[in-house]
């Protein structure tokens, strides 16, 4: 098993996998890591769908066009979930607050599911598996994905995670330096210096994309990410949330 240091610092996104199945004991370890995720109030406002049915994976691949979905051995779908606690509240005759009608309720589930996914990523990496986080499963066709996964009200997709025995070992992507990530006591107020550091990082990413193994691009960092933002503004996520019982109004 890899060290914690290697699991965290050498992680890469793997999109090509061997046909070999993940050992059951490895999946049980990942399950335990996910179950022990820290969550808001210990409310555990998340669930995970573990997909090993190839037919379901193929249907999700047809929606997304992302090959790692159909070639991975296991596909974990991390969900925001207020359905479980609602069921028990009803059973015990307790009034369920309108938590799904406020943005903090949305954030609770998203944060819990995201933390759970990171627990799975680290556990998988420690076991020598490859993984790839797939946010597109949230946005590609929310209604179709919800129907395929039979999601009840109070539940929505946050992100997917492909897992498998890696067939590739991608180069480690450059990340922003500590000076841009960590602010001391308050947010930095030296915008000119920050822009210089961001420009430097932008060039590092551009060089990485032009020289990386397994296919190169001319992408820099900022224009590429802004292009993603432009696409994201067209997603109908608020309507999806309403369809799933989240009548967000404050």
């Amino acid at each position: 098993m890899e060290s914690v240091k290697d699991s965290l610092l050498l992680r890469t996104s793997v999109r090509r996998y061997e046909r070999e199945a993940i050992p059951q004991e490895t999946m049980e370890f990942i399950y335990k890591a996910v179950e022990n995720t820290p969550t808001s109030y210990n409310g555990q406002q998340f669930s995970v769908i573990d997909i090993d049915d190839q037919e379901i994976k193929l249907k999700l691949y047809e929606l997304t066009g992302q090959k790692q979905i159909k070639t991975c051995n296991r596909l974990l779908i991390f969900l925001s979930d207020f359905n479980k606690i609602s069921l028990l509240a009803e059973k015990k005759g307790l009034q369920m607050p309108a938590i799904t009608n406020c943005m903090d309720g949305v954030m609770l589930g998203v944060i819990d599911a995201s933390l759970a996914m990171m627990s799975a990523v680290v556990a998988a990496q420690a076991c020598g598996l490859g993984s790839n986080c797939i946010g597109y499963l949230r946005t590609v066709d929310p209604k179709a994905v919800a129907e395929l996964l039979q999601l009840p009200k109070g539940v929505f997709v946050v992100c997917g995670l492909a897992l498998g025995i890696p067939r590739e070992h991608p180069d480690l992507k450059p990340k922003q330096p500590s000076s841009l990530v960590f602010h001391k006591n308050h947010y930095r107020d030296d915008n000119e210096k920050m822009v210089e550091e961001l420009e430097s990082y932008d060039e590092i990413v551009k060089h990485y994309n032009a020289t990386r193994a397994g296919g190169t691009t001319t992408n820099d960092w900022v224009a590429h990410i802004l292009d993603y933002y432009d696409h994201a503004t067209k997603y109908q996520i608020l309507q999806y949330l309403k369809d799933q019982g989240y009548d967000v109004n404050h």
Side-chain angles (χ1 to χ4, degrees):
M1 184 172 287
E2 290 185 3
S3 68
V4 173
K5 180 179 179 180
D6 287 347
S7 297
L8 290 170
L9 301 187
L10 300 180
R11 182 211 62 79
T12 59
S13 293
V14 174
R15 293 175 173 83
R16 299 176 67 239
Y17 307 97
E18 304 289 353
R19 295 183 180 274
E20 181 182 351
I22 299 173
Q24 184 57 33
E25 58 268 25
T26 299
M27 289 306 304
E28 290 174 359
F29 171 66
I30 294 171
Y31 273 26
K32 290 297 183 184
V34 169
E35 290 166 11
N36 197 41
T37 295
T39 63
S40 300
Y41 317 117
N42 195 36
Q44 302 159 76
Q45 288 92 189
F46 77 94
S47 288
V48 186
I49 298 178
D50 179 4
I51 301 174
D52 61 3
D53 186 319
Q54 190 63 19
E55 183 177 344
I56 297 176
K57 287 191 289 178
L58 286 173
K59 289 179 179 178
L60 291 171
Y61 164 69
E62 289 170 1
L63 287 170
T64 63
Q66 298 202 9
K67 292 183 179 179
Q68 63 270 37
I69 290 177
K70 69 175 180 179
T71 61
C72 68
N73 182 250
R74 307 288 274 268
L75 178 64
L76 305 184
I77 309 291
F78 289 81
L79 311 165
S80 170
D81 187 350
F82 285 99
N83 177 61
K84 292 183 293 187
I85 196 166
S86 296
L87 291 173
L88 183 56
E90 182 180 5
K91 175 68 174 181
K92 299 187 71 172
L94 300 173
Q95 180 66 38
M96 181 69 183
I99 187 67
T100 55
N101 290 357
C102 67
M103 270 307 300
D104 196 52
V106 174
M107 293 175 68
L108 279 176
V110 170
I111 292 169
D112 284 2
S114 300
L115 288 171
M117 184 173 67
M118 195 61 208
S119 295
V121 168
V122 175
Q125 185 78 20
C127 294
L129 298 181
S131 66
N132 179 237
C133 301
I134 309 172
Y136 197 33
L137 281 167
R138 179 186 71 255
T139 59
V140 62
D141 189 337
K143 183 177 181 181
V145 173
E147 290 176 352
L148 180 61
L149 300 180
Q150 301 178 32
L151 302 184
K153 299 295 184 183
V155 179
F156 68 86
V157 172
V158 174
C159 199
L161 179 67
L163 297 175
I165 309 298
R167 184 180 287 185
E168 64 177 1
H169 297 281
D171 296 337
L172 192 65
K173 289 183 179 180
K175 302 296 185 180
Q176 292 180 10
S178 296
S179 61
L180 288 172
V181 176
F182 296 95
H183 303 247
K184 190 69 172 180
N185 294 321
H186 58 79
Y187 199 92
R188 288 178 59 175
D189 57 5
D190 54 341
N191 287 351
E192 186 173 335
K193 175 63 175 175
M194 190 184 301
V195 169
E196 290 178 3
E197 293 173 20
L198 287 164
E199 286 178 324
S200 176
Y201 174 68
D202 197 53
E203 286 299 315
I204 290 171
V205 172
K206 186 175 182 179
H207 176 73
Y208 164 82
N209 287 329
T211 59
R212 67 185 183 184
T216 60
T217 74
T218 59
N219 292 336
D220 61 4
W221 176 71
V222 63
H224 183 63
I225 299 304
L226 292 182
D227 183 61
Y228 167 75
Y229 291 168
D230 184 57
H231 285 289
T233 61
K234 300 174 177 64
Y235 298 142
Q236 301 297 314
I237 299 302
L238 183 58
Q239 183 58 53
Y240 168 48
L241 291 176
K242 290 182 177 180
D243 291 343
Q244 291 305 117
Y246 286 71
D247 189 17
V248 181
N249 53 49
H250 66 286

